Protein backbone atom coordinates (compact mmCIF):
# COMPACT_ATOMS: atom_id res chain seq x y z
CA UNK A 1 0.00 0.00 0.00
CA UNK A 2 1.34 3.43 -0.86
CA UNK A 3 2.18 5.88 1.90
CA UNK A 4 -0.21 8.79 2.33
CA UNK A 5 0.91 12.39 2.62
CA UNK A 6 -1.38 15.13 3.88
CA UNK A 7 -0.57 18.55 2.41
CA UNK A 8 -1.99 21.48 4.39
CA UNK A 9 -1.55 24.49 2.08
CA UNK A 10 -3.87 27.41 1.31
CA UNK A 11 -2.23 28.65 -1.92
CA UNK A 12 -3.41 26.85 -5.06
CA UNK A 13 -0.10 27.47 -6.91
CA UNK A 14 1.84 25.81 -4.10
CA UNK A 15 -0.64 22.92 -3.96
CA UNK A 16 -0.19 22.42 -7.72
CA UNK A 17 3.61 22.34 -7.41
CA UNK A 18 3.44 19.66 -4.69
CA UNK A 19 0.68 17.80 -6.58
CA UNK A 20 2.88 17.65 -9.70
CA UNK A 21 5.90 16.57 -7.67
CA UNK A 22 4.04 13.83 -5.76
CA UNK A 23 2.49 12.65 -9.03
CA UNK A 24 5.97 11.39 -9.96
CA UNK A 25 6.22 9.31 -6.77
CA UNK A 26 4.48 6.30 -5.23
CA UNK A 27 2.89 8.50 -2.55
CA UNK A 28 -0.83 9.24 -2.31
CA UNK A 29 -1.56 12.93 -1.69
CA UNK A 30 -4.45 14.24 0.43
CA UNK A 31 -5.09 17.99 0.55
CA UNK A 32 -6.45 20.47 3.08
CA UNK A 33 -6.63 24.24 2.48
CA UNK A 34 -6.62 25.59 6.05
CA UNK A 35 -5.25 24.67 9.47
CA UNK A 36 -8.53 23.43 10.94
CA UNK A 37 -9.24 21.28 7.87
CA UNK A 38 -5.70 19.93 8.16
CA UNK A 39 -6.23 18.86 11.77
CA UNK A 40 -9.56 17.22 10.82
CA UNK A 41 -8.01 15.46 7.80
CA UNK A 42 -5.12 14.18 9.93
CA UNK A 43 -7.60 12.63 12.37
CA UNK A 44 -9.78 11.17 9.60
CA UNK A 45 -7.05 9.85 7.30
CA UNK A 46 -4.12 9.22 9.71
CA UNK A 47 -1.55 9.98 7.00
CA UNK A 48 2.04 8.72 7.10
CA UNK A 49 3.43 12.27 6.86
CA UNK A 50 2.14 15.86 6.89
CA UNK A 51 3.43 18.81 4.89
CA UNK A 52 2.28 21.83 6.91
CA UNK A 53 2.26 25.39 5.62
CA UNK A 54 2.64 27.87 8.48
CA UNK A 55 0.66 30.86 7.16
CA UNK A 56 -2.82 29.36 7.00
CA UNK A 57 -6.38 30.64 7.40
CA UNK A 58 -8.58 29.59 10.38
CA UNK A 59 -5.66 28.37 12.52
CA UNK A 60 -2.00 28.70 11.56
CA UNK A 61 0.38 25.82 10.97
CA UNK A 62 1.99 26.13 14.40
CA UNK A 63 -1.37 25.67 16.14
CA UNK A 64 -2.42 22.90 13.74
CA UNK A 65 0.84 21.04 14.44
CA UNK A 66 0.34 21.47 18.21
CA UNK A 67 -3.19 20.05 17.99
CA UNK A 68 -2.07 17.08 15.90
CA UNK A 69 0.84 16.30 18.24
CA UNK A 70 -1.49 16.62 21.27
CA UNK A 71 -3.62 13.74 19.94
CA UNK A 72 -2.16 10.37 21.08
CA UNK A 73 -3.46 8.69 17.91
CA UNK A 74 -1.68 11.22 15.66
CA UNK A 75 1.39 12.19 17.68
CA UNK A 76 3.67 9.72 15.81
CA UNK A 77 2.98 11.31 12.38
CA UNK A 78 5.99 13.31 11.19
CA UNK A 79 5.24 16.92 10.21
CA UNK A 80 7.41 18.96 7.85
CA UNK A 81 6.80 22.70 8.21
CA UNK A 82 6.89 24.27 4.74
CA UNK A 83 6.97 28.03 5.00
CA UNK A 84 7.85 31.22 3.19
CA UNK A 85 8.63 32.68 6.63
CA UNK A 86 12.35 32.03 6.61
CA UNK A 87 13.21 34.41 9.42
CA UNK A 88 15.67 33.46 12.11
CA UNK A 89 13.87 31.70 14.91
CA UNK A 90 11.11 30.34 12.67
CA UNK A 91 12.66 26.90 12.41
CA UNK A 92 12.99 26.71 16.20
CA UNK A 93 9.37 27.89 16.56
CA UNK A 94 8.17 25.21 14.11
CA UNK A 95 10.13 22.49 15.91
CA UNK A 96 8.82 23.73 19.28
CA UNK A 97 5.25 23.43 17.93
CA UNK A 98 5.88 19.76 17.20
CA UNK A 99 7.12 19.80 13.62
CA UNK A 100 9.78 17.20 12.90
CA UNK A 101 11.50 19.07 10.07
CA UNK A 102 11.46 22.44 8.33
CA UNK A 103 11.67 23.56 4.71
CA UNK A 104 11.71 27.18 3.53
CA UNK A 105 9.90 28.25 0.34
CA UNK A 106 10.84 28.43 -2.41
CA UNK A 107 12.19 24.90 -2.03
CA UNK A 108 13.77 22.61 -4.57
CA UNK A 109 11.59 19.61 -5.44
CA UNK A 110 14.61 17.37 -4.87
CA UNK A 111 15.08 18.77 -1.37
CA UNK A 112 11.41 18.24 -0.47
CA UNK A 113 11.45 14.66 -1.76
CA UNK A 114 14.67 13.94 0.14
CA UNK A 115 13.06 15.12 3.40
CA UNK A 116 9.86 13.14 2.70
CA UNK A 117 11.80 9.96 1.89
CA UNK A 118 14.06 10.48 4.90
CA UNK A 119 11.04 10.56 7.24
CA UNK A 120 9.04 7.83 5.53
CA UNK A 121 11.98 5.47 5.14
Amino acid sequence: MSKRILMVEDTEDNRQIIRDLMGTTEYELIEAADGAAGVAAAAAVKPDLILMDIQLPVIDGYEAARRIKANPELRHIPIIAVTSYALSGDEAKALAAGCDDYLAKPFSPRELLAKVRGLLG
Side-chain angles (χ1 to χ4, degrees):
M1 195 173 94
S2 65
K3 302 255 180 159
R4 293 184 297 183
I5 297 174
L6 171 61
M7 165 179 55
V8 187
E9 169 63 66
D10 62 323
T11 307
E12 176 57 34
D13 287 351
N14 293 336
R15 282 204 304 269
Q16 190 59 54
I17 289 165
I18 294 175
R19 227 180 263 139
D20 291 346
L21 177 63
M22 292 304 162
T24 68
T25 71
E26 65 280 14
Y27 304 121
E28 179 190 340
L29 189 64
I30 297 122
E31 299 179 29
D34 67 62
V39 173
V45 176
K46 299 196 176 44
D48 298 287
L49 181 127
I50 299 169
L51 299 174
M52 180 73 72
D53 185 24
I54 296 300
Q55 273 187 287
L56 289 167
V58 189
I59 59 171
D60 69 19
Y62 296 126
E63 179 59 25
R66 278 192 288 272
R67 291 184 190 184
I68 290 165
K69 292 296 186 173
N71 181 333
E73 288 183 22
L74 307 177
R75 147 177 326 141
H76 68 282
I77 302 169
I79 300 175
I80 302 175
V82 184
T83 180
S84 51
Y85 274 4
L87 304 169
S88 71
D90 281 347
E91 183 170 1
K93 195 170 168 186
L95 297 175
C99 295
D100 299 272
D101 207 339
Y102 179 90
L103 188 61
K105 295 175 193 167
F107 52 81
S108 88
R110 188 175 289 128
E111 188 183 7
L112 175 63
L113 276 181
K115 285 184 181 284
V116 165
R117 291 203 164 110
L119 285 166
L120 289 178

